[in-house]
């Protein structure tokens, strides 16, 4: 979403004699440094081997490890999260990962006398929402449209539409089984300045 080309092509257009025109361009100029930073961060990750859609929005995330294993789909927003990547981490389209989220694709085997490292793929399917401060552990699959509550620690896979909370995360009785039609990146102020004005 932070792609300059996308924002330019899809920008809201107003008459140059209207107040909306000057308001929109004021917001765009004010937020321009943020766009530059996000584009630079994304390009840096791509150069190191990550597969990231040009329509994804990467905030001040701390992403370390083997970036060749990271793939991020269209219209996905990632805030100030922390990813430690040692095996495949696949994030789908229209996913929202909030600030302070930790995603770990490896851990230690506590029952191994040598305390060996265990690695397992993590998949986060389309329209999933991982709330502030949650932790996703190795081998977890987050199903389409699921919600991980704030500060939850996810040790097991989550079914599509399921809402999980707590430590360890457990499902609520409610489900989120609807047809989704939103783009998390459109809620970022810098993008709204271009798309809405």
């Amino acid at each position: 979403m932070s792609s300059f080309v996308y924002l330019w092509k899809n920008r809201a257009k107003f008459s140059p004699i209207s107040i909306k025109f000057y308001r929109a361009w004021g917001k765009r100029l004010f937020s321009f440094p943020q766009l530059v930073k996000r584009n630079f961060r994304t390009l840096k990750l791509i150069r190191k081997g990550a597969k990231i859609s040009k329509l994804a929005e990467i905030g001040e995330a701390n992403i370390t490890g083997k970036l060749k294993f990271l793939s991020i789909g269209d219209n996905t927003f990632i805030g100030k999260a922390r990813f430690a990547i040692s095996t495949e981490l696949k994030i789908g389209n229209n996913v929202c990962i909030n600030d302070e989220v930790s995603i770990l694709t490896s851990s230690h085997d506590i029952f191994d006398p040598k305390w060996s490292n265990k690695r397992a793929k993590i998949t986060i399917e389309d329209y999933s929402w991982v709330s502030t401060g949650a932790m996703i552990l190795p081998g977890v699959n987050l199903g389409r449209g699921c919600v991980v509550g704030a500060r939850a620690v996810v040790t097991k896979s989550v079914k599509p539409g399921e809402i999980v909370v707590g430590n360890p995360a457990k499902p609520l009785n409610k489900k989120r089984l609807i047809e989704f039609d939103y783009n998390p990146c459109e809620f970022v102020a810098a993008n709204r300045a271009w798309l809405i004005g």
Side-chain angles (χ1 to χ4, degrees):
M1 176 60 73
S2 61
S3 160
F4 294 124
V5 175
Y6 178 86
L7 292 174
W8 180 259
K9 283 183 181 176
N10 294 285
R11 73 189 185 281
K13 297 175 185 171
F14 306 103
S15 168
I17 58 171
S18 71
I19 292 174
K20 287 183 177 181
F21 176 86
Y22 294 100
R23 187 178 296 142
W25 278 102
K27 290 178 186 177
R28 291 167 185 171
L29 291 172
F30 181 76
S31 63
F32 190 73
Q34 293 174 29
L35 289 174
V36 172
K37 281 181 187 175
R38 282 199 297 271
N39 273 272
F40 180 73
R41 275 194 293 270
T42 301
L43 287 173
K44 196 172 168 186
L45 292 168
I46 290 169
R47 284 190 189 125
K48 291 182 177 180
K51 295 166 214 70
I52 302 173
S53 166
K54 290 180 182 178
L55 300 179
E57 191 78 40
I58 312 293
E60 296 176 36
N62 178 8
I63 301 174
T64 59
K66 299 178 180 176
L67 294 178
K68 67 180 181 180
F69 291 126
L70 174 64
S71 67
I72 300 172
D74 294 343
N75 305 319
T76 287
F77 172 81
I78 297 170
K80 294 180 185 177
R82 180 180 174 270
F83 298 173
I85 304 168
S86 58
T87 192
E88 192 174 357
L89 171 55
K90 185 177 179 185
I91 302 171
N93 302 322
N94 300 84
V95 171
C96 182
I97 298 176
N98 289 134
D99 294 348
E100 299 175 36
V101 168
S102 294
I103 298 179
L104 311 171
T105 61
S106 68
S107 185
H108 292 281
D109 184 351
I110 60 170
F111 298 108
D112 181 359
K114 297 200 182 288
W115 203 46
S116 62
N117 201 338
K118 290 184 356 181
R119 298 179 181 133
K121 173 182 175 178
I122 293 175
T123 303
I124 301 175
E125 295 181 20
D126 299 350
Y127 291 104
S128 293
W129 175 20
V130 185
S131 303
T132 304
M135 179 176 281
I136 312 300
L137 296 179
V140 166
N141 182 75
L142 299 181
R144 178 183 169 87
C146 76
V147 177
V148 176
R151 304 280 178 225
V153 178
V154 184
T155 59
K156 296 178 182 173
S157 292
V158 179
K159 294 176 185 169
E162 211 165 46
I163 302 167
V164 297
V165 296
N167 179 6
K170 298 208 182 309
L172 298 178
N173 290 332
K174 304 176 201 175
K175 281 200 172 188
R176 193 175 174 232
L177 297 175
I178 55 173
E179 276 303 312
F180 301 104
D181 185 26
Y182 65 89
N183 174 351
C185 296
E186 288 179 357
F187 295 97
V188 176
N191 293 337
R192 290 179 72 81
W194 287 89
L195 301 172
I196 295 170

